[in-house]
Amino acid sequence: MAATDRVTQPVPPAGASPRSSGAASLAVADGLALFAFVAVGLRSHHIGAIAGIVGRNALPLAVAWIVMAFIIGTYRRRDLSSLVLTWAIAVPVALLVRTWWVGSPRGDRVVVFLIVGLAFTGLFLAIGRCAVWAVTRSRPTWRRPA
């Protein structure tokens, strides 16, 4: 085989496997997407970006996401089904914890809050994942959750 016929693969940094660097990229993209959701929500409701306000809105989401991603194996498997399962469990749990912690919204507005929260976190996560897949040129897979 001639030197020009060889296909070169990107070399991961020392100590990192291609599998771990891909998982890290997805985890960073997901984290940024979820933080963007919180930031846009605070901005759209004209709430200042005070650390306490950001914390009470971002902390439940971050904790629920990390716990569910660990349990489900979202970054080990790196497929769409584990992402969707993590999203479908972590986001409603986080939004309900946030509602309990903050004391709002109340009544029927909780349902609207959950629907809007799921829709926009899903949108931001999809944008982040598509960006990672475009940059890494990897194709997402769909597997049934284990």
Side-chain angles (χ1 to χ4, degrees):
M1 176 168 16
T4 57
D5 294 338
R6 291 187 200 151
V7 175
T8 59
Q9 296 293 326
V11 179
S17 69
R19 189 161 189 56
S20 66
S21 62
S25 298
L26 294 175
V28 168
D30 292 348
L32 290 173
L34 295 173
F35 185 76
F37 165 73
V38 171
V40 168
L42 292 175
R43 182 75 175 148
S44 68
H45 295 289
H46 306 292
I47 299 172
I50 301 168
I53 294 172
V54 172
R56 76 176 191 194
N57 288 281
L59 189 61
L61 191 54
V63 170
W65 188 269
I66 290 166
V67 168
M68 289 314 305
F70 179 77
I71 291 169
I72 293 168
T74 306
Y75 302 108
R76 279 189 314 275
R77 296 175 45 166
R78 297 185 292 161
D79 59 6
L80 291 175
S81 61
S82 62
L83 173 67
V84 169
L85 188 58
T86 301
W87 167 79
I89 297 170
V91 172
V93 166
L95 295 178
L96 289 172
V97 167
R98 182 250 177 230
T99 296
W100 168 78
W101 189 1
V102 173
S104 70
R106 293 187 180 137
D108 294 342
R109 291 183 176 187
V110 172
V111 175
V112 174
F113 181 59
L114 289 172
I115 292 168
V116 170
L118 278 166
F120 280 97
T121 55
L123 174 66
F124 287 129
L125 287 165
I127 291 168
R129 287 292 180 113
C130 287
V132 169
W133 291 325
V135 169
T136 63
R137 298 179 188 241
S138 64
R139 285 183 33 199
T141 60
W142 185 271
R143 292 184 223 154
R144 290 182 182 232

